[in-house]
PDB file of all heavy atoms in Angstrom:
ATOM      1  N   ASP V   1     103.616 107.598  89.639  1.00 65.00           N
ATOM      2  CA  ASP V   1     104.777 107.015  90.243  1.00 65.00           C
ATOM      3  C   ASP V   1     105.554 106.237  89.164  1.00 65.00           C
ATOM      4  O   ASP V   1     106.826 106.260  89.238  1.00 65.00           O
ATOM      5  CB  ASP V   1     104.321 106.117  91.360  1.00 65.00           C
ATOM      6  CG  ASP V   1     103.791 106.816  92.542  1.00 65.00           C
ATOM      7  OD1 ASP V   1     104.054 108.036  92.708  1.00 65.00           O
ATOM      8  OD2 ASP V   1     102.978 106.185  93.324  1.00 65.00           O
ATOM      9  N   GLU V   2     104.886 105.593  88.247  1.00 68.00           N
ATOM     10  CA  GLU V   2     105.715 104.881  87.287  1.00 68.00           C
ATOM     11  C   GLU V   2     106.588 105.869  86.343  1.00 68.00           C
ATOM     12  O   GLU V   2     107.760 105.575  86.072  1.00 68.00           O
ATOM     13  CB  GLU V   2     104.807 104.113  86.365  1.00 68.00           C
ATOM     14  CG  GLU V   2     104.358 102.730  86.935  1.00 68.00           C
ATOM     15  CD  GLU V   2     103.904 101.759  85.944  1.00 68.00           C
ATOM     16  OE1 GLU V   2     104.306 101.821  84.721  1.00 68.00           O
ATOM     17  OE2 GLU V   2     103.033 100.853  86.340  1.00 68.00           O
ATOM     18  N   VAL V   3     105.922 107.007  86.048  1.00 68.00           N
ATOM     19  CA  VAL V   3     106.733 108.011  85.288  1.00 68.00           C
ATOM     20  C   VAL V   3     107.889 108.459  86.171  1.00 68.00           C
ATOM     21  O   VAL V   3     108.951 108.650  85.664  1.00 68.00           O
ATOM     22  CB  VAL V   3     105.780 109.270  84.918  1.00 68.00           C
ATOM     23  CG1 VAL V   3     106.656 110.457  84.389  1.00 68.00           C
ATOM     24  CG2 VAL V   3     104.773 108.820  83.952  1.00 68.00           C
ATOM     25  N   ALA V   4     107.633 108.743  87.390  1.00 67.00           N
ATOM     26  CA  ALA V   4     108.777 109.183  88.321  1.00 67.00           C
ATOM     27  C   ALA V   4     109.929 108.110  88.389  1.00 67.00           C
ATOM     28  O   ALA V   4     111.113 108.558  88.316  1.00 67.00           O
ATOM     29  CB  ALA V   4     108.165 109.460  89.653  1.00 67.00           C
ATOM     30  N   PHE V   5     109.521 106.837  88.430  1.00 65.00           N
ATOM     31  CA  PHE V   5     110.656 105.777  88.535  1.00 65.00           C
ATOM     32  C   PHE V   5     111.402 105.742  87.051  1.00 65.00           C
ATOM     33  O   PHE V   5     112.670 105.543  87.147  1.00 65.00           O
ATOM     34  CB  PHE V   5     110.019 104.494  88.826  1.00 65.00           C
ATOM     35  CG  PHE V   5     109.732 104.320  90.365  1.00 65.00           C
ATOM     36  CD1 PHE V   5     108.512 104.301  90.826  1.00 65.00           C
ATOM     37  CD2 PHE V   5     110.795 104.194  91.213  1.00 65.00           C
ATOM     38  CE1 PHE V   5     108.337 104.218  92.185  1.00 65.00           C
ATOM     39  CE2 PHE V   5     110.631 103.967  92.529  1.00 65.00           C
ATOM     40  CZ  PHE V   5     109.386 103.956  93.052  1.00 65.00           C
ATOM     41  N   LYS V   6     110.658 105.946  86.028  1.00 67.00           N
ATOM     42  CA  LYS V   6     111.289 106.020  84.678  1.00 67.00           C
ATOM     43  C   LYS V   6     112.230 107.142  84.485  1.00 67.00           C
ATOM     44  O   LYS V   6     113.293 106.981  84.013  1.00 67.00           O
ATOM     45  CB  LYS V   6     110.251 106.083  83.650  1.00 67.00           C
ATOM     46  CG  LYS V   6     109.507 104.732  83.359  1.00 67.00           C
ATOM     47  CD  LYS V   6     108.495 104.740  82.204  1.00 67.00           C
ATOM     48  CE  LYS V   6     107.849 103.468  82.104  1.00 67.00           C
ATOM     49  NZ  LYS V   6     106.678 103.538  81.185  1.00 67.00           N
ATOM     50  N   LEU V   7     111.673 108.337  84.957  1.00 64.00           N
ATOM     51  CA  LEU V   7     112.526 109.567  84.786  1.00 64.00           C
ATOM     52  C   LEU V   7     113.724 109.640  85.776  1.00 64.00           C
ATOM     53  O   LEU V   7     114.797 110.085  85.359  1.00 64.00           O
ATOM     54  CB  LEU V   7     111.695 110.747  84.923  1.00 64.00           C
ATOM     55  CG  LEU V   7     110.676 110.967  83.850  1.00 64.00           C
ATOM     56  CD1 LEU V   7     109.758 112.283  84.235  1.00 64.00           C
ATOM     57  CD2 LEU V   7     111.261 111.188  82.498  1.00 64.00           C
ATOM     58  N   HIS V   8     113.534 109.172  87.090  1.00 61.00           N
ATOM     59  CA  HIS V   8     114.592 109.514  88.115  1.00 61.00           C
ATOM     60  C   HIS V   8     115.031 108.155  88.720  1.00 61.00           C
ATOM     61  O   HIS V   8     116.084 108.453  89.565  1.00 61.00           O
ATOM     62  CB  HIS V   8     113.980 110.339  89.065  1.00 61.00           C
ATOM     63  CG  HIS V   8     113.311 111.687  88.617  1.00 61.00           C
ATOM     64  ND1 HIS V   8     114.034 112.684  88.098  1.00 61.00           N
ATOM     65  CD2 HIS V   8     111.962 112.001  88.426  1.00 61.00           C
ATOM     66  CE1 HIS V   8     113.233 113.597  87.713  1.00 61.00           C
ATOM     67  NE2 HIS V   8     111.914 113.277  87.932  1.00 61.00           N
ATOM     68  N   GLY V   9     114.383 107.144  88.635  1.00 63.00           N
ATOM     69  CA  GLY V   9     114.782 106.001  89.398  1.00 63.00           C
ATOM     70  C   GLY V   9     115.829 105.083  88.793  1.00 63.00           C
ATOM     71  O   GLY V   9     116.647 104.507  89.508  1.00 63.00           O
ATOM     72  N   TYR V  10     115.944 104.953  87.526  1.00 56.00           N
ATOM     73  CA  TYR V  10     116.813 103.985  86.849  1.00 56.00           C
ATOM     74  C   TYR V  10     118.259 104.293  87.123  1.00 56.00           C
ATOM     75  O   TYR V  10     119.077 103.423  87.467  1.00 56.00           O
ATOM     76  CB  TYR V  10     116.590 103.849  85.312  1.00 56.00           C
ATOM     77  CG  TYR V  10     115.211 103.095  85.030  1.00 56.00           C
ATOM     78  CD1 TYR V  10     114.088 103.756  84.752  1.00 56.00           C
ATOM     79  CD2 TYR V  10     115.241 101.748  85.204  1.00 56.00           C
ATOM     80  CE1 TYR V  10     112.970 103.023  84.523  1.00 56.00           C
ATOM     81  CE2 TYR V  10     114.114 100.976  84.899  1.00 56.00           C
ATOM     82  CZ  TYR V  10     112.985 101.602  84.623  1.00 56.00           C
ATOM     83  OH  TYR V  10     111.813 100.904  84.449  1.00 56.00           O
ATOM     84  N   GLU V  11     118.629 105.607  87.089  1.00 52.00           N
ATOM     85  CA  GLU V  11     120.018 105.928  87.325  1.00 52.00           C
ATOM     86  C   GLU V  11     120.524 105.659  88.680  1.00 52.00           C
ATOM     87  O   GLU V  11     121.551 105.584  89.098  1.00 52.00           O
ATOM     88  CB  GLU V  11     120.391 107.445  86.917  1.00 52.00           C
ATOM     89  CG  GLU V  11     119.812 108.438  87.738  1.00 52.00           C
ATOM     90  CD  GLU V  11     118.473 108.949  87.162  1.00 52.00           C
ATOM     91  OE1 GLU V  11     117.867 108.387  86.272  1.00 52.00           O
ATOM     92  OE2 GLU V  11     117.962 109.940  87.744  1.00 52.00           O
ATOM     93  N   LEU V  12     119.544 105.600  89.611  1.00 53.00           N
ATOM     94  CA  LEU V  12     119.812 105.355  91.062  1.00 53.00           C
ATOM     95  C   LEU V  12     119.629 103.899  91.486  1.00 53.00           C
ATOM     96  O   LEU V  12     119.695 103.456  92.585  1.00 53.00           O
ATOM     97  CB  LEU V  12     118.929 106.195  91.995  1.00 53.00           C
ATOM     98  CG  LEU V  12     119.134 107.714  91.822  1.00 53.00           C
ATOM     99  CD1 LEU V  12     118.067 108.489  92.547  1.00 53.00           C
ATOM    100  CD2 LEU V  12     120.538 108.192  92.297  1.00 53.00           C
ATOM    101  N   GLY V  13     119.232 103.159  90.547  1.00 54.00           N
ATOM    102  CA  GLY V  13     119.037 101.654  90.756  1.00 54.00           C
ATOM    103  C   GLY V  13     117.669 101.274  91.283  1.00 54.00           C
ATOM    104  O   GLY V  13     117.415 100.258  91.700  1.00 54.00           O
ATOM    105  N   LEU V  14     116.762 102.297  91.183  1.00 53.00           N
ATOM    106  CA  LEU V  14     115.322 102.057  91.751  1.00 53.00           C
ATOM    107  C   LEU V  14     114.424 101.969  90.494  1.00 53.00           C
ATOM    108  O   LEU V  14     114.321 102.971  89.799  1.00 53.00           O
ATOM    109  CB  LEU V  14     114.937 103.243  92.607  1.00 53.00           C
ATOM    110  CG  LEU V  14     115.918 103.417  93.837  1.00 53.00           C
ATOM    111  CD1 LEU V  14     115.501 104.801  94.616  1.00 53.00           C
ATOM    112  CD2 LEU V  14     115.738 102.358  94.774  1.00 53.00           C
ATOM    113  N   VAL V  15     113.675 100.920  90.214  1.00 55.00           N
ATOM    114  CA  VAL V  15     112.897 100.747  89.128  1.00 55.00           C
ATOM    115  C   VAL V  15     111.394 100.808  89.509  1.00 55.00           C
ATOM    116  O   VAL V  15     110.590 100.642  88.664  1.00 55.00           O
ATOM    117  CB  VAL V  15     113.253  99.392  88.370  1.00 55.00           C
ATOM    118  CG1 VAL V  15     114.582  99.574  87.736  1.00 55.00           C
ATOM    119  CG2 VAL V  15     113.010  98.255  89.136  1.00 55.00           C
ATOM    120  N   GLY V  16     111.124 100.767  90.736  1.00 55.00           N
ATOM    121  CA  GLY V  16     109.687 100.888  91.229  1.00 55.00           C
ATOM    122  C   GLY V  16     109.147  99.471  91.381  1.00 55.00           C
ATOM    123  O   GLY V  16     108.288  99.286  92.224  1.00 55.00           O
ATOM    124  N   ARG V  17     109.590  98.454  90.696  1.00 73.00           N
ATOM    125  CA  ARG V  17     109.123  97.150  91.005  1.00 73.00           C
ATOM    126  C   ARG V  17     110.236  96.279  91.158  1.00 73.00           C
ATOM    127  O   ARG V  17     110.957  95.860  90.160  1.00 73.00           O
ATOM    128  CB  ARG V  17     108.275  96.688  89.745  1.00 73.00           C
ATOM    129  CG  ARG V  17     107.753  95.252  89.886  1.00 73.00           C
ATOM    130  CD  ARG V  17     107.012  95.060  91.134  1.00 73.00           C
ATOM    131  NE  ARG V  17     105.724  95.708  91.248  1.00 73.00           N
ATOM    132  CZ  ARG V  17     104.998  95.833  92.413  1.00 73.00           C
ATOM    133  NH1 ARG V  17     105.486  95.244  93.500  1.00 73.00           N
ATOM    134  NH2 ARG V  17     103.947  96.510  92.514  1.00 73.00           N
ATOM    135  N   THR V  18     110.611  96.022  92.317  1.00 83.00           N
ATOM    136  CA  THR V  18     111.636  94.988  92.680  1.00 83.00           C
ATOM    137  C   THR V  18     110.943  93.911  93.573  1.00 83.00           C
ATOM    138  O   THR V  18     110.361  94.356  94.505  1.00 83.00           O
ATOM    139  CB  THR V  18     112.699  95.594  93.416  1.00 83.00           C
ATOM    140  OG1 THR V  18     113.343  96.717  92.644  1.00 83.00           O
ATOM    141  CG2 THR V  18     113.860  94.596  93.797  1.00 83.00           C
ATOM    142  N   LEU V  19     111.094  92.699  93.222  1.00 89.00           N
ATOM    143  CA  LEU V  19     110.393  91.632  93.998  1.00 89.00           C
ATOM    144  C   LEU V  19     111.330  91.128  94.999  1.00 89.00           C
ATOM    145  O   LEU V  19     112.432  90.565  94.535  1.00 89.00           O
ATOM    146  CB  LEU V  19     110.000  90.537  93.034  1.00 89.00           C
ATOM    147  CG  LEU V  19     108.991  90.850  91.876  1.00 89.00           C
ATOM    148  CD1 LEU V  19     108.717  89.695  91.059  1.00 89.00           C
ATOM    149  CD2 LEU V  19     107.765  91.588  92.488  1.00 89.00           C
ATOM    150  N   TYR V  20     111.089  91.398  96.300  1.00 89.00           N
ATOM    151  CA  TYR V  20     111.823  90.768  97.389  1.00 89.00           C
ATOM    152  C   TYR V  20     111.135  89.538  98.009  1.00 89.00           C
ATOM    153  O   TYR V  20     109.964  89.396  97.947  1.00 89.00           O
ATOM    154  CB  TYR V  20     111.985  91.835  98.437  1.00 89.00           C
ATOM    155  CG  TYR V  20     112.994  92.925  98.210  1.00 89.00           C
ATOM    156  CD1 TYR V  20     112.756  94.063  97.485  1.00 89.00           C
ATOM    157  CD2 TYR V  20     114.387  92.787  98.727  1.00 89.00           C
ATOM    158  CE1 TYR V  20     113.578  95.091  97.157  1.00 89.00           C
ATOM    159  CE2 TYR V  20     115.279  93.784  98.403  1.00 89.00           C
ATOM    160  CZ  TYR V  20     114.910  94.879  97.750  1.00 89.00           C
ATOM    161  OH  TYR V  20     115.843  95.819  97.501  1.00 89.00           O
ATOM    162  N   PRO V  21     111.867  88.673  98.573  1.00 92.00           N
ATOM    163  CA  PRO V  21     111.210  87.635  99.363  1.00 92.00           C
ATOM    164  C   PRO V  21     110.278  88.112 100.418  1.00 92.00           C
ATOM    165  O   PRO V  21     110.453  89.326 100.913  1.00 92.00           O
ATOM    166  CB  PRO V  21     112.365  86.842  99.927  1.00 92.00           C
ATOM    167  CG  PRO V  21     113.582  87.211  99.232  1.00 92.00           C
ATOM    168  CD  PRO V  21     113.317  88.520  98.760  1.00 92.00           C
ATOM    169  N   PRO V  22     109.160  87.411 100.829  1.00 90.00           N
ATOM    170  CA  PRO V  22     108.288  88.008 101.838  1.00 90.00           C
ATOM    171  C   PRO V  22     108.874  87.929 103.197  1.00 90.00           C
ATOM    172  O   PRO V  22     108.287  88.526 104.059  1.00 90.00           O
ATOM    173  CB  PRO V  22     106.978  86.958 101.654  1.00 90.00           C
ATOM    174  CG  PRO V  22     107.606  85.713 101.066  1.00 90.00           C
ATOM    175  CD  PRO V  22     108.728  86.225 100.225  1.00 90.00           C
ATOM    176  N   VAL V  23     110.021  87.222 103.377  1.00 89.00           N
ATOM    177  CA  VAL V  23     110.542  87.312 104.768  1.00 89.00           C
ATOM    178  C   VAL V  23     111.869  88.124 104.752  1.00 89.00           C
ATOM    179  O   VAL V  23     112.582  88.227 103.802  1.00 89.00           O
ATOM    180  CB  VAL V  23     111.001  85.703 105.137  1.00 89.00           C
ATOM    181  CG1 VAL V  23     109.699  84.878 105.305  1.00 89.00           C
ATOM    182  CG2 VAL V  23     111.941  85.162 104.133  1.00 89.00           C
ATOM    183  N   LYS V  24     112.083  88.731 105.860  1.00 86.00           N
ATOM    184  CA  LYS V  24     113.266  89.625 106.113  1.00 86.00           C
ATOM    185  C   LYS V  24     114.349  89.055 106.977  1.00 86.00           C
ATOM    186  O   LYS V  24     115.388  89.467 107.046  1.00 86.00           O
ATOM    187  CB  LYS V  24     112.790  90.942 106.544  1.00 86.00           C
ATOM    188  CG  LYS V  24     111.633  91.713 105.801  1.00 86.00           C
ATOM    189  CD  LYS V  24     112.023  91.858 104.351  1.00 86.00           C
ATOM    190  CE  LYS V  24     110.948  92.433 103.537  1.00 86.00           C
ATOM    191  NZ  LYS V  24     110.589  91.639 102.360  1.00 86.00           N
ATOM    192  N   THR V  25     113.916  88.065 107.789  1.00 88.00           N
ATOM    193  CA  THR V  25     114.798  87.321 108.660  1.00 88.00           C
ATOM    194  C   THR V  25     114.718  85.786 108.365  1.00 88.00           C
ATOM    195  O   THR V  25     113.659  85.370 107.808  1.00 88.00           O
ATOM    196  CB  THR V  25     114.384  87.560 110.153  1.00 88.00           C
ATOM    197  OG1 THR V  25     113.107  87.071 110.416  1.00 88.00           O
ATOM    198  CG2 THR V  25     114.597  89.072 110.503  1.00 88.00           C
ATOM    199  N   CYS V  26     115.666  85.031 108.724  1.00 90.00           N
ATOM    200  CA  CYS V  26     115.784  83.562 108.362  1.00 90.00           C
ATOM    201  C   CYS V  26     114.473  83.004 109.231  1.00 90.00           C
ATOM    202  O   CYS V  26     114.287  83.368 110.370  1.00 90.00           O
ATOM    203  CB  CYS V  26     116.996  83.002 109.025  1.00 90.00           C
ATOM    204  SG  CYS V  26     117.107  81.198 108.468  1.00 90.00           S
ATOM    205  N   ILE V  27     113.798  82.117 108.574  1.00 90.00           N
ATOM    206  CA  ILE V  27     112.657  81.409 109.200  1.00 90.00           C
ATOM    207  C   ILE V  27     112.998  79.890 109.619  1.00 90.00           C
ATOM    208  O   ILE V  27     112.169  79.253 109.912  1.00 90.00           O
ATOM    209  CB  ILE V  27     111.458  81.476 108.347  1.00 90.00           C
ATOM    210  CG1 ILE V  27     111.647  80.933 106.902  1.00 90.00           C
ATOM    211  CG2 ILE V  27     110.991  82.860 108.256  1.00 90.00           C
ATOM    212  CD1 ILE V  27     110.389  80.853 106.008  1.00 90.00           C
ATOM    213  N   ASN V  28     114.278  79.607 109.464  1.00 88.00           N
ATOM    214  CA  ASN V  28     114.689  78.283 109.883  1.00 88.00           C
ATOM    215  C   ASN V  28     114.941  78.230 111.362  1.00 88.00           C
ATOM    216  O   ASN V  28     115.743  78.915 111.880  1.00 88.00           O
ATOM    217  CB  ASN V  28     116.091  77.886 109.183  1.00 88.00           C
ATOM    218  CG  ASN V  28     116.621  76.513 109.567  1.00 88.00           C
ATOM    219  OD1 ASN V  28     115.977  75.892 110.384  1.00 88.00           O
ATOM    220  ND2 ASN V  28     117.784  76.287 109.007  1.00 88.00           N
ATOM    221  N   HIS V  29     114.055  77.564 112.161  1.00 87.00           N
ATOM    222  CA  HIS V  29     114.080  77.554 113.573  1.00 87.00           C
ATOM    223  C   HIS V  29     115.393  76.952 114.211  1.00 87.00           C
ATOM    224  O   HIS V  29     115.728  77.199 115.332  1.00 87.00           O
ATOM    225  CB  HIS V  29     112.900  76.876 114.151  1.00 87.00           C
ATOM    226  CG  HIS V  29     111.552  77.513 113.823  1.00 87.00           C
ATOM    227  ND1 HIS V  29     111.194  78.720 114.313  1.00 87.00           N
ATOM    228  CD2 HIS V  29     110.626  77.132 112.941  1.00 87.00           C
ATOM    229  CE1 HIS V  29     110.003  79.063 113.825  1.00 87.00           C
ATOM    230  NE2 HIS V  29     109.694  78.165 112.921  1.00 87.00           N
ATOM    231  N   ASP V  30     116.207  76.201 113.386  1.00 88.00           N
ATOM    232  CA  ASP V  30     117.370  75.678 113.887  1.00 88.00           C
ATOM    233  C   ASP V  30     118.578  76.620 113.716  1.00 88.00           C
ATOM    234  O   ASP V  30     119.688  76.368 114.133  1.00 88.00           O
ATOM    235  CB  ASP V  30     117.636  74.356 113.178  1.00 88.00           C
ATOM    236  CG  ASP V  30     116.585  73.233 113.430  1.00 88.00           C
ATOM    237  OD1 ASP V  30     116.085  73.323 114.620  1.00 88.00           O
ATOM    238  OD2 ASP V  30     116.466  72.458 112.543  1.00 88.00           O
ATOM    239  N   CYS V  31     118.318  77.746 113.064  1.00 90.00           N
ATOM    240  CA  CYS V  31     119.397  78.727 112.674  1.00 90.00           C
ATOM    241  C   CYS V  31     119.577  79.744 113.735  1.00 90.00           C
ATOM    242  O   CYS V  31     118.720  80.249 114.363  1.00 90.00           O
ATOM    243  CB  CYS V  31     119.011  79.374 111.379  1.00 90.00           C
ATOM    244  SG  CYS V  31     120.229  80.565 110.849  1.00 90.00           S
ATOM    245  N   THR V  32     120.881  80.074 114.130  1.00 85.00           N
ATOM    246  CA  THR V  32     121.206  81.116 115.077  1.00 85.00           C
ATOM    247  C   THR V  32     120.686  82.458 114.647  1.00 85.00           C
ATOM    248  O   THR V  32     120.359  83.310 115.463  1.00 85.00           O
ATOM    249  CB  THR V  32     122.646  81.076 115.448  1.00 85.00           C
ATOM    250  OG1 THR V  32     123.366  81.328 114.201  1.00 85.00           O
ATOM    251  CG2 THR V  32     123.127  79.809 116.076  1.00 85.00           C
TER     252      THR V  32
END
């Protein structure tokens, strides 16, 4: 998979390792 990301992912902006926050929605209970 690392070879695939090196060969094909970089030109598409996919590097195989992108760190995202563990939450996908706001966790502030006061927030709409």
Side-chain angles (χ1 to χ4, degrees):
D1 291 336
E2 280 201 29
V3 169
F5 280 106
K6 283 181 185 175
L7 292 176
H8 308 289
Y10 285 103
E11 67 265 10
L12 298 170
L14 304 171
V15 295
R17 179 51 68 192
T18 301
L19 303 181
Y20 282 87
V23 296
K24 308 300 175 236
T25 59
C26 186
I27 56 175
N28 177 2
H29 296 288
D30 297 328
C31 180
T32 57

